Amino acid sequence: MTDRELDAAGITDAALRAAYRHCRALNARHGRTYFLATRLLPVERRPAVHALYGFARWADDIVDCLDPGAGPDVRVRALTRLQEELEEGLRQGGGDEPVVRALADTARRYAIDHTHFRDFMTAMRSDLVVTAYPSYADLRAYMHGSAAVIGLQMLPVLGTVVPREEAAPYAAALGVAFQLSNFLRDVGEDLDRGRVYLPADLLAGHGVDRELLAWSRETGRPDGRITAALREFEALTRGVYRAAVPGVELLDPVARPCIRTAAVLYGGILDAVARDGYTVLHRRSVVPRRRRAVVAADGLVRVAAARLRARPVPGHRPPPPAPRSLPAAVPSPTAAVRSTEEVA
């Protein structure tokens, strides 16, 4: 975290500044697309986004990247410990874990509904025991906590030109679209972890099951039935993008280039998968560096134009820190919101 960003955000406590820097480092190392898009935000809003990403990354690493020898019980204990630290941090502020310290401060500054963080942790715990989803409806229920709430957490930081609850379903849907893109890209890697996120009924409609996926992964041999299933999942994901992207216009104009850039780059995963012939069981599809550079440059142009036209969004700036005895949460957005990771 640069001093300029921290100073602009009004973060002065030394320990808190160190916690935000830690989150920024996680974002820069693991979330290259997310980090790139965040650079298009006004400088004072970037620390909050890094805090949100840093916490999500930390929890996800417990689920997927802990010592390979660690069994489910070890992961459950680690997630439980993180949940306890999260609850304490949200109540009292501070905390020993840097990602929790930064997250709690961001939640307080932007009055982010604490339910979103609890729903996220519930989804992380389910990843330790759930290895398949019978239908898209089942997958969507999981993604409320794993993806939709990330969009909802971001909304107060981004700012809106309409009441927040009006923009919430779009933000949730975009979070889902990002995760669906990752699911398509990571079919092989997820299979290695024992998970299949593609709905079983979608796969079965093309004569595909876990055993066929495992055979293709192990032998390196393609199968037309798998390709057809992946193509349908791609089409489903593009439909979610189409439903979500109109919500960008509901955001604070100076925040739109960030989210538009992220949407184009994450959507580019789908293009890369199709370009590679849906060989995600055998190789990782990537968005070409040249494409990333072009999209980033376009984002910079849009940022410059937006800032020239910008006017303060009423009520957007984070309120001064409230006394800790006061609740930080706001009412949860509507249930209509049921409906992330880097580009390598």
Side-chain angles (χ1 to χ4, degrees):
M1 187 70 58
T2 66
D3 287 340
R4 176 169 169 261
E5 290 171 345
L6 294 166
D7 292 344
I11 300 167
T12 58
D13 178 78
L16 194 55
R17 288 168 74 93
Y20 275 103
R21 287 192 181 96
H22 178 70
C23 291
R24 184 182 190 273
L26 287 173
N27 196 353
R29 184 165 65 250
H30 295 291
R32 286 176 287 173
T33 288
Y34 210 70
F35 183 75
L36 174 62
T38 300
R39 299 286 293 172
L40 302 177
L41 281 175
V43 64
E44 71 276 3
R45 303 188 202 180
R46 297 175 197 168
V49 177
H50 293 315
L52 295 174
Y53 179 88
F55 179 82
R57 179 76 258 176
W58 196 260
D60 192 64
D61 281 352
I62 291 175
V63 173
D64 287 337
C65 301
L66 203 62
D67 180 354
D73 290 347
V74 174
R75 296 170 193 270
V76 168
R77 287 196 295 271
L79 280 179
T80 299
R81 185 165 55 252
L82 181 61
Q83 176 94 48
E84 292 169 351
E85 293 177 356
L86 169 65
E87 295 294 345
E88 181 65 19
L90 292 174
R91 282 195 304 269
Q92 303 293 336
D96 295 331
E97 179 54 61
V99 295
V100 172
R101 189 181 306 130
L103 180 79
D105 183 68
T106 289
R108 182 167 52 91
R109 287 171 180 267
Y110 287 92
I112 300 173
D113 187 346
H114 295 176
T115 301
H116 300 328
F117 305 118
R118 297 179 182 120
D119 288 349
F120 173 76
M121 292 300 294
T122 296
M124 293 300 97
R125 286 194 298 273
S126 78
D127 267 335
L128 299 180
V129 294
V130 178
T131 60
Y133 295 87
S135 69
Y136 184 54
D138 296 309
L139 183 62
R140 285 293 288 259
Y142 161 76
M143 288 191 296
H144 168 73
S146 65
V149 297
I150 303 298
L152 298 177
Q153 292 169 22
M154 285 282 293
L155 262 190
V157 179
L158 299 173
T160 61
V161 294
V162 296
R164 192 180 301 170
E165 60 270 19
E166 185 177 333
Y170 296 98
L174 193 57
V176 168
F178 289 172
Q179 187 165 61
L180 289 171
S181 298
N182 288 339
F183 285 162
L184 181 61
R185 180 195 64 192
D186 298 338
V187 170
E189 295 172 19
D190 288 330
L191 188 63
D192 292 343
R193 298 185 181 107
R195 303 190 203 114
V196 176
Y197 287 105
L198 276 61
D201 59 354
L202 183 152
L203 294 173
H206 297 277
V208 179
D209 56 17
R210 181 186 290 262
E211 288 69 30
L212 182 61
L213 293 174
W215 170 84
S216 181
R217 176 74 168 168
E218 292 166 4
T219 65
R221 295 174 63 181
D223 186 285
R225 293 167 293 178
I226 295 175
T227 299
L230 295 175
R231 187 178 288 115
E232 181 179 345
F233 192 78
E234 176 207 356
L236 181 155
T237 304
R238 290 190 188 277
V240 178
Y241 274 105
R242 286 193 295 273
V245 166
V248 174
E249 296 306 313
L250 305 182
L251 301 176
D252 180 350
V254 298
R256 292 172 194 168
C258 165
I259 302 306
R260 185 177 288 109
T261 296
V264 171
L265 289 174
Y266 273 96
I269 295 174
L270 306 179
D271 298 329
V273 169
R275 181 196 67 221
D276 292 343
Y278 303 93
T279 56
V280 289
L281 280 166
H282 315 126
R283 57 178 293 187
R284 186 182 179 91
S285 295
V286 300
V287 178
R289 183 172 299 179
R290 179 179 177 82
R291 174 62 176 161
R292 289 165 52 85
V294 169
V295 173
D298 178 70
L300 288 172
V301 171
R302 291 177 182 273
V303 165
R307 290 178 183 174
L308 284 174
R309 299 190 301 266
R311 297 292 184 271
V313 173
H316 168 72
R317 286 187 61 82
R324 288 181 180 173
S325 59
L326 296 179
V330 296
S332 177
T334 66
V337 300
R338 283 187 322 143
S339 326
T340 134
E341 216 150 328
E342 82 269 13
V343 174

